């Protein structure tokens, strides 16, 4: 969604083939299989296949940087037995960081199921058009094992799995896991992890600042700085890293930095990856999106229930 790469290709006609394949999968693995879902990576985004409303196999894109779940209108209208949309008093618009605009005139109430998870918020019905998924699935708005509290999700991108966890399955303090506190923004339901961010330029000069990073599974870039915020704009200027233009496959020009290294929390360094600058003001918490390239390196537990992010080395090395 929020990416320098195109994440859109034709979806109509593909849905029937997906349903047929997924039905075979779910026939072999009934309800318990939905506790652990397979992950695939495509064009910088993360997808899984799950049963909606306990019966309809669909492809969904993982998110955590949007305010509400979004579901494709064609899917909703073609299954009136499963979905009961409510008409909104007035249309609601959702503008994504990459500039895509979705408009909803209908919504589904809380309780939409995806695997064994259930939504805690309304799900808005939009025309996803050529998007490669039938639903955008923000984990932070779903519960994994209760009807009223945010969920706990284990993510292992290299191992290719998303697991829905219960509270007793959390790791003990210490050992291989490191826990970071997150804060929840009440308006959007998004979660931020606080820590230091360091940008290193080509001459080795280091510029550091405290930041609040929105954990964003829908972002294909390592880091997207909210450069419309004055303090972030000053941090970018202090880094003495020249801005560059990057053009998306859709022809949209976006500004980026190309640091020699980007370091998070004084401990996690990444080299050779661009940093996106978001310069159009948006009503978002935090100072930046922390995206998939960060989470890909580790095993991660998103404990939205207790507002903690757990990080450990990947089993895959």
């Amino acid at each position: 969604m929020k990416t320098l790469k195109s994440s859109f290709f034709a979806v109509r006609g593909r849905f029937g083939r997906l349903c047929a394949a997924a039905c075979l999968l779910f026939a072999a693995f009934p309800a318990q299989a939905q506790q652990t879902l397979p992950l695939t990576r495509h064009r910088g985004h993360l997808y899984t296949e799950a049963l909606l409303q306990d019966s309809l196999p669909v492809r969904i894109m993982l998110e955590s940087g949007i305010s509400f779940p979004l579901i494709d209108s064609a899917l909703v209208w073609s299954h009136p037995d499963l979905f009961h949309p409510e008409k909104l008093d007035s249309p609601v618009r959702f503008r994504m960081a990459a500039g895509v605009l979705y408009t909803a005139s209908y919504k589904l109430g809380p309780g939409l199921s995806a695997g064994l998870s259930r939504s805690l918020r309304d799900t808005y019905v939009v025309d996803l058009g050529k998007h490669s998924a039938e639903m955008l699935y923000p984990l932070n708005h779903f519960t994994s094992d209760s009807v009223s509290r945010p969920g706990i999700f284990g993510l292992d991108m290299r191992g290719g799995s998303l697991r829905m966890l219960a509270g007793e399955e959390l790791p003990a303090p210490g050992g291989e896991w490191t826990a970071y506190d997150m804060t929840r923004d009440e308006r959007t339901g998004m979660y931020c992890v606080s820590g230091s961010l360091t940008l290193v330029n080509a001459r080795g000069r280091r510029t550091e600042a405290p930041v609040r990073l929105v954990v964003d599974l829908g972002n294909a870039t390592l880091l997207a700085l909210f450069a419309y915020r004055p303090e972030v704009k000053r941090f970018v200027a202090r880094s003495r890293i020249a801005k560059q233009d990057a053009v998306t496959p859709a022809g949209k020009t976006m500004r980026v930095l190309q640091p020699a290294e980007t370091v998070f929390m004084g401990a996690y360094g990444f080299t050779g990856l661009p940093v996106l600058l978001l310069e159009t003001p948006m009503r978002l918490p935090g100072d930046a999106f922390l995206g998939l390239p960060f989470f890909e390196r580790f095993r991660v537990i998103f404990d939205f229930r207790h507002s903690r992010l757990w990080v450990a080395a990947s089993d895959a090395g």
Side-chain angles (χ1 to χ4, degrees), residues 295-315:
F295 302 113
E296 183 179 29
R297 182 182 291 186
F298 311 103
R299 287 174 293 143
V300 181
I301 296 175
F302 296 94
D303 182 5
F304 297 118
R305 181 162 304 168
H306 305 102
S307 297
R308 279 194 153 189
L309 175 69
W310 295 81
V311 179
S314 172
D315 288 336

Side-chain angles (χ1 to χ4, degrees), residues 39-262:
L39 293 177
T40 57
R41 186 91 175 265
H42 180 73
R43 297 188 179 183
H45 293 297
L46 202 56
Y47 298 86
T48 189
E49 295 175 4
L51 292 178
L52 285 189
Q53 303 296 67
D54 302 318
S55 61
L56 180 64
V58 298
R59 190 185 196 201
I60 57 182
M61 191 183 99
L62 269 64
E63 265 284 2
S64 60
I66 58 177
S67 301
F68 294 90
L70 303 179
I71 190 169
D72 187 44
S73 55
L75 182 71
V76 171
W77 300 126
S78 62
H79 294 84
D81 55 327
L82 293 180
F83 305 110
H84 305 286
E86 307 169 23
K87 187 169 179 59
L88 301 171
D89 293 335
S90 59
V92 176
R93 292 177 174 81
F94 301 89
R95 182 175 296 279
M96 306 305 170
V100 180
L101 180 66
Y102 295 119
T103 301
S105 295
Y106 291 85
K107 70 176 183 178
L108 305 176
L112 177 70
S113 69
L116 294 183
S117 68
R118 298 290 186 275
S119 67
L120 298 170
R121 284 193 165 197
D122 293 330
T123 298
Y124 285 85
V125 180
V126 301
D127 180 5
L128 289 177
K130 296 181 180 180
H131 203 290
S132 52
E134 284 76 46
M135 180 177 169
L136 305 188
Y137 175 54
L139 296 182
N140 48 312
H141 296 315
F142 280 74
T143 181
S144 55
D145 63 354
S146 74
V147 296
S148 60
R149 301 178 66 196
I152 306 171
F153 300 88
L155 180 70
D156 183 357
M157 289 178 62
R158 293 189 181 184
S161 66
L162 171 70
R163 190 173 175 215
M164 301 173 194
L165 304 175
E168 59 269 19
E169 297 178 271
L170 286 169
E176 63 176 332
W177 290 89
T178 302
Y180 296 93
D181 290 334
M182 296 191 294
T183 56
R184 182 180 185 275
D185 179 65
E186 293 301 321
R187 184 181 63 83
T188 64
M190 298 178 192
Y191 286 75
C192 297
V193 59
S194 297
S196 64
L197 171 65
T198 304
L199 298 180
V200 184
N201 69 11
R203 296 185 176 184
R205 183 178 182 274
R206 304 172 69 88
T207 304
E208 182 177 331
V211 292
R212 296 169 299 143
L213 303 170
V214 179
V215 295
D216 185 10
L217 292 172
N219 200 320
T221 59
L222 172 68
L223 180 69
L225 289 169
F226 302 161
Y228 54 85
R229 296 200 167 178
E231 61 273 23
V232 176
K233 186 175 182 178
R234 288 193 293 269
F235 171 66
V236 170
R238 287 194 296 111
S239 72
R240 298 183 184 178
I241 301 173
K243 297 179 182 180
Q244 303 176 26
D245 287 336
V247 181
T248 70
K252 183 177 176 59
T253 300
M254 305 191 81
R255 303 282 270 171
V256 300
L257 302 178
Q258 190 69 55
E261 185 179 17
T262 304

